[in-house]
Amino acid sequence: MTDVTVVIGAGSIGQAIARRVSAGKHVVLADLREDTAKAAAKVLSDAGFEVSTSSVDVSSRASVQALVAFSASIGDITGVIHAAGVSPSQAAPATILRVDLYGTALVLELFGEVIAKGGSAIVIASQSGHRLPALTAEQNKALALTPTEDLLGLPMLQPDRVTDPLNAYQISKRGNSLRVAAQAVRWGKRGARVNTISPGIIFTPLARDELSGPRGDGYRRMIESSAAKRGGTPDEVGAVAALLMGPEGTFITGSDFLMDGGVTAHYWYGESQP
């Protein structure tokens, strides 16, 4: 039976991880824009990977279900790379919550029903989740455990409470890491693992949107004040993902890995603390 790696969000980070972990496997590249998936598929195919493409809207249960069925028809799903999402400069708060928070919950729920024994998944969150002040224990539990279809109905997520796109993004990304921790228990019953990577400013088209958007100056200040003094690359995220999804990472599940060049450390403990 063929082993399948499913990549949701066929951008730079998803592709970089797929290249590191999918040798000898069939790669399913899924994106909201199928032309984006096909462009990425050509690059991977030319590099020797066997690739199929699909369109997916992670904010739609039917669409994610269709992707699960398509991927499972090819072989055993042994890897899931969830890198789809929208940034604060790209969408309104309600859309961010639906795509980045609810969409991730959907992917974890539905792929958690079919992931093969020994399989592993990576969810791409963000350093933004680490900038949100501490939530209450009850809020953490609600974000982690509320049934997927009830998630957006939580009082803490209503339009009168979440009015700013950046706040919606921070809550979504904090929610991703909490959700993954809870889902690791469920995935573990199938002998599978799931972890979150929270990258900082990684040079991708999405990051370029942010750097040229209304928060661009803030992003440049983040880079200048960080220990690394630079942004990251998709390949660096791929290196962490390769550890987590590979044989040397089999003791790691339910964890969140912050990799941001020291931006968050400076935010909380640098000269100009919040």
Side-chain angles (χ1 to χ4, degrees), residues 47-73:
F49 293 89
E50 188 175 0
V51 187
S52 298
T53 63
S54 177
S55 61
V56 66
D57 175 0
V58 297
S59 69
S60 161
R61 177 173 287 271
S63 183
V64 178
Q65 285 174 327
L67 176 62
V68 170
F70 172 69
S71 303
S73 73

Side-chain angles (χ1 to χ4, degrees), residues 250-272:
T250 54
F251 197 57
I252 307 170
T253 190
S255 296
D256 175 52
F257 289 81
L258 173 65
M259 51 177 305
D260 67 353
V263 165
T264 300
H266 185 273
Y267 177 79
W268 287 111
Y269 306 113
E271 293 82 5
S272 53

Side-chain angles (χ1 to χ4, degrees), residues 201 203 219-232 236 260-264 266 270-271:
I201 298 169
F203 286 119
Y219 276 77
R220 280 181 282 276
R221 283 195 297 272
M222 282 186 212
I223 292 173
E224 291 162 6
S225 64
S226 71
K229 306 293 187 198
R230 65 174 178 86
E236 288 175 303
D260 67 353
V263 165
T264 300
H266 185 273
E271 293 82 5

